[in-house]
Amino acid sequence: MSESYTALGGWFEYLNADCDYLKWSQYLLDKLKAAGDYKTGLDIGCGNGYFTRAFNRAGYSVSGMDISASMLSQAKRLAAKEGVRCEFLSGDITKLKVCAKVDFCTAVNDCINYVPKTKLKSAFARVYAALNANGAFLFDISSENKIRNILGENLFGEDGENISYLWFNRQTDDGVVMELTFFVRNESGLYERFEETHVQYAHTEDEVIKALYAAGFARVQTEGHLGGDKSQRIQFAAFKR
């Protein structure tokens, strides 16, 4: 299987259109405004850069970071297309180092589910080190319930005009292994087949909170997705001393 998000990278935002990114980004902007007078940020696991672009359009100076070259390539194209000036960097939250500290970091839409349990504390410690005093870290996870009972051993698929996919899940002790097959229409009209494997880890709310405090964060707040219930997604806000 190829590296995760190699084939999917250029289509990620398109395939996640049902997430209501507009409402999600406004939720995060409201949280940032309420948290403090922040100006600079780093959007970790930025994907195709939707939230990076939204933060910059709202007046923040935010760079996007992702481990996938394909994701970053599409992020740069979309930012240029929309006339949003922002920087995109290659990086991994478990190895995060910054040249200059920022006021806030974000990690939106399952980024933390890709971090193994054994690396949660060290990843959070790296984010803590990247923040200015009183800085904030806003992120979310797919809940253990979602990983176990909704994704679980299930099969998903979509048949589109330009891209179709089959998504097989296999549950493990730590989470779920996702095996995806994509059929992508090329410029000649023919379909090319790509395969990827993703691994997401099932973190409990308590495990995440414990790791945040162990990494040095002084205050942690949690709520459900967009302020709703926590059955499928949990939102975290952690603050540096």
Side-chain angles (χ1 to χ4, degrees):
M1 293 291 183
S2 61
E3 181 185 350
S4 296
Y5 291 116
T6 299
L8 181 58
W11 292 90
F12 185 77
E13 215 164 278
Y14 171 83
L15 292 172
N16 281 274
D18 61 347
C19 287
D20 198 345
Y21 277 166
L22 180 61
K23 188 174 182 180
W24 200 344
S25 62
Q26 188 58 56
Y27 165 85
L28 292 171
L29 288 168
D30 290 343
K31 289 293 181 183
L32 287 173
K33 185 177 180 180
D37 185 22
Y38 298 144
K39 294 180 174 60
T40 60
L42 178 65
D43 185 20
I44 303 166
C46 68
N48 289 165
Y50 184 95
F51 296 100
T52 314
R53 301 194 304 275
F55 295 142
N56 280 279
R57 280 196 297 265
Y60 296 101
S61 177
V62 178
S63 298
M65 175 180 286
D66 204 278
I67 198 171
S68 166
S70 179
M71 284 284 208
L72 291 172
S73 180
Q74 178 70 345
K76 292 173 183 176
R77 283 195 292 268
L78 291 173
K81 179 180 178 181
E82 296 180 14
V84 180
R85 298 173 68 89
C86 49
E87 183 180 27
F88 290 99
L89 310 167
S90 177
D92 178 349
I93 190 172
T94 65
K95 303 174 183 177
L96 178 64
K97 290 183 179 180
V98 296
C99 296
K101 293 185 178 183
V102 294
D103 295 331
F104 68 89
C105 291
T106 57
V108 189
N109 201 3
D110 294 352
C111 175
I112 302 303
N113 289 103
Y114 285 90
V115 180
K117 291 178 183 294
T118 56
K119 295 185 178 181
L120 266 184
K121 176 185 172 182
S122 60
F124 291 159
R126 287 182 177 272
V127 175
Y128 184 90
L131 291 170
N132 288 319
N134 302 312
F137 180 30
L138 305 182
F139 67 95
D140 61 83
I141 61 168
S142 281
S143 67
E144 184 180 32
N145 171 63
K146 179 181 176 181
I147 297 289
R148 300 292 187 195
N149 300 318
I150 297 176
L151 299 181
E153 296 284 337
N154 290 321
L155 164 66
F156 302 89
E158 182 175 328
D159 183 18
E161 182 177 353
N162 294 312
I163 182 170
S164 300
Y165 67 85
L166 292 172
W167 171 8
F168 296 88
N169 291 332
R170 174 169 51 84
Q171 195 165 161
T172 66
D173 290 342
D174 291 335
V176 63
V177 176
M178 308 172 181
E179 296 183 347
L180 300 100
T181 302
F182 299 92
F183 300 91
V184 181
R185 189 176 186 179
N186 61 27
E187 293 181 356
S188 69
L190 299 176
Y191 286 84
E192 298 179 85
R193 174 174 172 161
F194 302 93
E195 295 181 332
E196 294 185 359
T197 297
H198 297 237
V199 178
Q200 286 200 5
Y201 298 91
H203 304 309
T204 68
E205 181 177 357
D206 287 345
E207 285 173 339
V208 174
I209 292 173
K210 183 178 179 180
L212 286 166
Y213 282 126
F217 285 94
R219 182 164 52 96
V220 178
Q221 300 170 347
T222 68
E223 62 183 9
H225 183 52
L226 304 183
D229 68 77
K230 297 179 178 179
S231 62
Q232 293 193 40
R233 188 173 299 280
I234 304 171
Q235 177 71 43
F236 294 80
F239 298 91
K240 188 171 181 175
R241 292 182 178 85

